[in-house]
Amino acid sequence: MRGQTGQNGFTLLEVIIALIIFAALLPTLFSLWESGMNAVKARQAAEHLIKVNSAAATYVGKYQDHLAEQATASGGPELAIADLIDEKCLPESFSERNAFGQTYRIYIRQPRTKELQAIILTSGGRGHDDKDKKFTTSVIPSAASMAGASGGFVPGNDIPGLSQDMLRGAFGGWTISLSSMGIASPGPG
Protein backbone atom coordinates (compact mmCIF):
# COMPACT_ATOMS: atom_id res chain seq x y z
CA MET A 1 0.00 0.00 0.00
CA ARG A 2 1.32 3.39 -0.90
CA GLY A 3 0.63 6.78 0.80
CA GLN A 4 -0.88 9.78 -0.91
CA THR A 5 1.76 11.78 -2.80
CA GLY A 6 -0.18 15.09 -3.29
CA GLN A 7 1.07 18.23 -1.56
CA ASN A 8 -1.12 19.63 1.25
CA GLY A 9 0.73 22.78 2.25
CA PHE A 10 3.31 25.37 1.30
CA THR A 11 6.93 24.54 0.82
CA LEU A 12 9.55 26.50 2.69
CA LEU A 13 10.61 28.11 -0.59
CA GLU A 14 7.08 29.40 -1.26
CA VAL A 15 6.85 30.91 2.23
CA ILE A 16 10.24 32.63 1.82
CA ILE A 17 9.21 34.08 -1.56
CA ALA A 18 5.94 35.37 -0.08
CA LEU A 19 7.86 37.02 2.80
CA ILE A 20 10.30 38.66 0.37
CA ILE A 21 7.39 40.08 -1.68
CA PHE A 22 5.69 41.33 1.49
CA ALA A 23 8.93 42.96 2.70
CA ALA A 24 9.34 44.67 -0.69
CA LEU A 25 5.77 46.06 -0.50
CA LEU A 26 6.02 47.15 3.14
CA PRO A 27 7.45 50.67 2.45
CA THR A 28 4.68 51.32 -0.08
CA LEU A 29 2.02 50.11 2.35
CA PHE A 30 3.48 52.31 5.11
CA SER A 31 3.51 55.33 2.79
CA LEU A 32 -0.17 54.75 1.90
CA TRP A 33 -1.06 54.40 5.58
CA GLU A 34 0.85 57.59 6.45
CA SER A 35 -0.89 59.51 3.65
CA GLY A 36 -4.25 58.32 4.89
CA MET A 37 -3.48 59.35 8.47
CA ASN A 38 -2.27 62.78 7.30
CA ALA A 39 -5.52 63.25 5.35
CA VAL A 40 -7.61 62.37 8.41
CA LYS A 41 -5.60 64.70 10.65
CA ALA A 42 -5.77 67.49 8.05
CA ARG A 43 -9.57 67.18 7.98
CA GLN A 44 -9.70 67.26 11.81
CA ALA A 45 -7.38 70.29 11.94
CA ALA A 46 -9.50 72.08 9.32
CA GLU A 47 -12.71 71.43 11.26
CA HIS A 48 -11.02 72.64 14.45
CA LEU A 49 -9.87 75.82 12.68
CA ILE A 50 -13.39 76.44 11.34
CA LYS A 51 -14.72 76.34 14.91
CA VAL A 52 -11.97 78.67 16.16
CA ASN A 53 -12.65 81.05 13.26
CA SER A 54 -16.36 81.11 14.03
CA ALA A 55 -15.69 81.67 17.74
CA ALA A 56 -13.27 84.52 16.98
CA ALA A 57 -15.89 86.15 14.74
CA THR A 58 -18.45 85.84 17.56
CA TYR A 59 -15.98 87.38 20.01
CA VAL A 60 -15.18 90.27 17.65
CA GLY A 61 -18.89 90.90 17.09
CA LYS A 62 -19.56 90.83 20.83
CA TYR A 63 -16.76 93.28 21.72
CA GLN A 64 -16.49 95.25 18.48
CA ASP A 65 -16.57 98.74 20.01
CA HIS A 66 -14.00 97.90 22.68
CA LEU A 67 -11.70 96.11 20.22
CA ALA A 68 -11.94 98.97 17.69
CA GLU A 69 -10.56 101.32 20.36
CA GLN A 70 -7.53 99.04 20.91
CA ALA A 71 -6.73 97.69 17.46
CA THR A 72 -4.76 99.36 14.68
CA ALA A 73 -3.47 98.06 11.37
CA SER A 74 -0.23 96.92 13.00
CA GLY A 75 -1.16 96.24 16.62
CA GLY A 76 -3.94 95.24 18.93
CA PRO A 77 -5.26 92.63 21.32
CA GLU A 78 -4.09 89.04 21.23
CA LEU A 79 -6.37 86.19 22.26
CA ALA A 80 -5.97 82.53 23.09
CA ILE A 81 -8.47 79.66 22.98
CA ALA A 82 -8.93 80.05 26.75
CA ASP A 83 -10.27 83.59 26.17
CA LEU A 84 -12.85 82.27 23.70
CA ILE A 85 -13.85 79.55 26.16
CA ASP A 86 -14.13 82.07 29.04
CA GLU A 87 -16.44 84.23 26.91
CA LYS A 88 -18.60 81.19 26.00
CA CYS A 89 -17.68 81.44 22.33
CA LEU A 90 -16.36 77.86 22.53
CA PRO A 91 -17.46 74.99 24.79
CA GLU A 92 -15.44 74.34 27.95
CA SER A 93 -14.27 70.97 26.61
CA PHE A 94 -12.77 72.50 23.44
CA SER A 95 -9.13 71.49 22.97
CA GLU A 96 -6.51 74.23 22.81
CA ARG A 97 -4.52 72.08 20.36
CA ASN A 98 -5.47 70.87 16.90
CA ALA A 99 -4.87 67.37 15.48
CA PHE A 100 -1.22 68.26 14.78
CA GLY A 101 -0.61 69.41 18.37
CA GLN A 102 -0.48 73.08 17.35
CA THR A 103 -1.81 75.86 19.60
CA TYR A 104 -3.61 78.99 18.42
CA ARG A 105 -2.96 82.71 18.75
CA ILE A 106 -5.62 85.13 17.59
CA TYR A 107 -4.54 88.65 16.66
CA ILE A 108 -7.14 91.41 16.35
CA ARG A 109 -6.23 94.09 13.80
CA GLN A 110 -8.05 97.04 12.23
CA PRO A 111 -6.70 97.45 8.68
CA ARG A 112 -9.28 100.17 7.97
CA THR A 113 -11.47 102.28 10.26
CA LYS A 114 -14.33 100.23 11.77
CA GLU A 115 -13.11 97.06 10.01
CA LEU A 116 -11.79 94.47 12.45
CA GLN A 117 -9.92 91.37 11.41
CA ALA A 118 -9.13 88.30 13.50
CA ILE A 119 -5.93 86.68 12.24
CA ILE A 120 -5.60 83.13 13.55
CA LEU A 121 -2.19 81.46 13.57
CA THR A 122 -0.97 78.13 14.88
CA SER A 123 2.38 77.44 16.47
CA GLY A 124 4.26 74.51 17.91
CA GLY A 125 3.29 70.93 17.25
CA ARG A 126 4.10 69.13 14.04
CA GLY A 127 5.19 71.21 11.08
CA HIS A 128 6.79 74.23 12.68
CA ASP A 129 10.33 72.92 12.36
CA ASP A 130 10.32 73.25 8.53
CA LYS A 131 12.11 69.88 8.20
CA ASP A 132 9.13 67.77 7.10
CA LYS A 133 8.89 69.02 3.51
CA LYS A 134 5.83 66.93 2.59
CA PHE A 135 4.01 68.25 5.63
CA THR A 136 4.73 71.92 4.94
CA THR A 137 4.20 71.74 1.16
CA SER A 138 1.24 69.36 0.95
CA VAL A 139 -0.51 68.47 4.22
CA ILE A 140 -0.81 71.99 5.66
CA PRO A 141 -1.99 73.64 2.40
CA SER A 142 -4.50 70.79 2.06
CA ALA A 143 -5.84 71.41 5.58
CA ALA A 144 -6.08 75.13 4.79
CA SER A 145 -8.16 74.41 1.70
CA MET A 146 -10.47 72.14 3.70
CA ALA A 147 -11.17 75.07 6.04
CA GLY A 148 -12.73 76.96 3.14
CA ALA A 149 -12.22 80.53 1.94
CA SER A 150 -10.97 81.73 5.34
CA GLY A 151 -8.39 78.91 5.63
CA GLY A 152 -4.76 79.81 5.13
CA PHE A 153 -1.22 78.80 5.97
CA VAL A 154 2.28 80.17 6.43
CA PRO A 155 4.40 78.49 3.74
CA GLY A 156 7.75 76.86 4.35
CA ASN A 157 10.90 78.13 2.67
CA ASP A 158 10.71 75.29 0.16
CA ILE A 159 7.70 76.64 -1.78
CA PRO A 160 9.12 78.84 -4.56
CA GLY A 161 7.98 82.46 -4.56
CA LEU A 162 6.39 82.31 -1.12
CA SER A 163 7.73 83.79 2.10
CA GLN A 164 7.29 82.77 5.73
CA ASP A 165 6.26 86.39 6.36
CA MET A 166 3.09 85.86 4.33
CA LEU A 167 -0.12 84.26 5.48
CA ARG A 168 -1.51 82.73 2.28
CA GLY A 169 -5.15 81.83 1.69
CA ALA A 170 -6.13 78.45 0.34
CA PHE A 171 -5.34 78.25 -3.39
CA GLY A 172 -3.83 81.74 -3.24
CA GLY A 173 -7.22 83.39 -2.62
CA TRP A 174 -5.65 86.08 -0.43
CA THR A 175 -2.37 87.01 1.23
CA ILE A 176 -1.55 88.99 4.35
CA SER A 177 1.88 90.33 5.20
CA LEU A 178 2.39 89.36 8.83
CA SER A 179 5.09 91.97 9.42
CA SER A 180 2.81 94.76 8.14
CA MET A 181 0.26 93.62 10.72
CA GLY A 182 2.88 93.68 13.48
CA ILE A 183 2.82 89.90 13.83
CA ALA A 184 5.94 87.75 14.01
CA SER A 185 5.82 84.72 11.75
CA PRO A 186 5.31 81.49 13.71
CA GLY A 187 7.08 79.53 10.95
CA PRO A 188 5.49 77.14 8.47
CA GLY A 189 2.13 75.71 9.31
Side-chain angles (χ1 to χ4, degrees), residues 130 133 136-138 141 153-164 166 168 172 175:
D130 202 21
K133 302 299 180 203
T136 59
T137 61
S138 177
F153 67 100
V154 176
N157 288 329
D158 46 346
I159 300 179
L162 300 180
S163 160
Q164 284 189 13
M166 299 301 288
R168 183 175 194 267
T175 56

Side-chain angles (χ1 to χ4, degrees), residues 44-46 48-49 95-104 122 125 140:
Q44 289 173 338
H48 204 256
L49 176 61
S95 174
E96 293 192 13
R97 295 182 181 275
N98 66 16
F100 297 120
Q102 299 166 326
T103 58
Y104 295 92
T122 59
I140 288 296

Side-chain angles (χ1 to χ4, degrees), residues 18-82:
L19 287 173
I20 290 171
I21 292 170
F22 179 73
L25 291 176
L26 200 54
T28 302
L29 293 173
F30 178 75
S31 177
L32 289 173
W33 175 81
E34 183 180 38
S35 293
M37 288 303 296
N38 280 337
V40 167
K41 284 185 175 185
R43 169 57 63 194
Q44 289 173 338
E47 289 173 5
H48 204 256
L49 176 61
I50 290 167
K51 290 177 183 174
V52 172
N53 192 31
S54 177
T58 299
Y59 184 94
V60 168
K62 191 174 181 180
Y63 296 105
Q64 185 168 356
D65 293 336
H66 179 68
L67 293 170
E69 292 172 0
Q70 297 178 325
T72 66
S74 60
E78 185 177 332
L79 306 171
I81 295 297

